[in-house]
Amino acid sequence: MDISRLVPLFTREAIAARVAEMGAQIARDFHGEPLVAVCVLRGAFMFYADLVRAISKDDLYVDFLRVSSYGAATESSGQVKLHLDLSCDIEGKNVLIVEDVVDSGRSLRFLLDLLGARKPKRLACAVLVDKRARRKVEVEPDYVGFAMDDGFIVGYGLDYAGKMRNLPEIRVPEQELR
Ligand code: PRP
């Protein structure tokens, strides 16, 4: 794969517009209920920062965890590891898992099982990009920014061998758009 020529797939403007809609929907759905928004490091950091600012609530709490399944590879190893756990107790609380991408679904399944066992009041998931065609395990995110079948994407938190997470939009190799 030639990633030397990358072109925007989801622009900053398209992402901002979609994130604003998602934030408004989440604020409506959790109206009057405290919400713990969980950032799944590392990939979700940029989406998370934008999404929580789009959720107009004065009873939103932030927390962070880190899982990884890919290592330095571009294909999932199938093994999900927890590297950093939450700081807060989520029992009886509304919890929103915030992910950048759902691909095989293994990471989200792992997180739903892990956090679900802690008896939250409600457990939901917001994902920016849902790659449905690549599912290996069944999971259905509650809030989806963009759906796509397949394809390599990078930027806005998503990496290529650890690089390019700082791109402000999501890009694809030029040949994938042809
Ligand atoms: C990426 C991404 C999701 C997961 C999705 O994380 O951020 O957490 O893979 O893939 P899956 O649906 O096949 O599990 P990664 O393990 O690469 O770690 P990172 O967030 O640090 O990049």
Side-chain angles (χ1 to χ4, degrees), residues 13 16 23 25 27 73 91 101 104 108 118 130 133 137 141 153 161 167 177:
E13 293 74 21
Q25 179 71 51
E91 185 171 344
V101 59
S104 72
L108 183 55
R118 298 178 188 179
D130 186 357
V137 299
I153 51 176
L167 289 173
L177 280 190

Side-chain angles (χ1 to χ4, degrees), residues 77-102:
S77 65
Q79 283 284 325
V80 183
K81 282 189 196 151
L82 180 70
H83 297 275
L84 172 74
D85 205 343
L86 295 175
S87 309
C88 73
D89 180 3
I90 57 166
E91 185 171 344
K93 296 179 183 166
N94 296 301
V95 176
L96 179 71
I97 297 170
V98 181
E99 265 282 29
D100 54 341
V101 59
V102 179

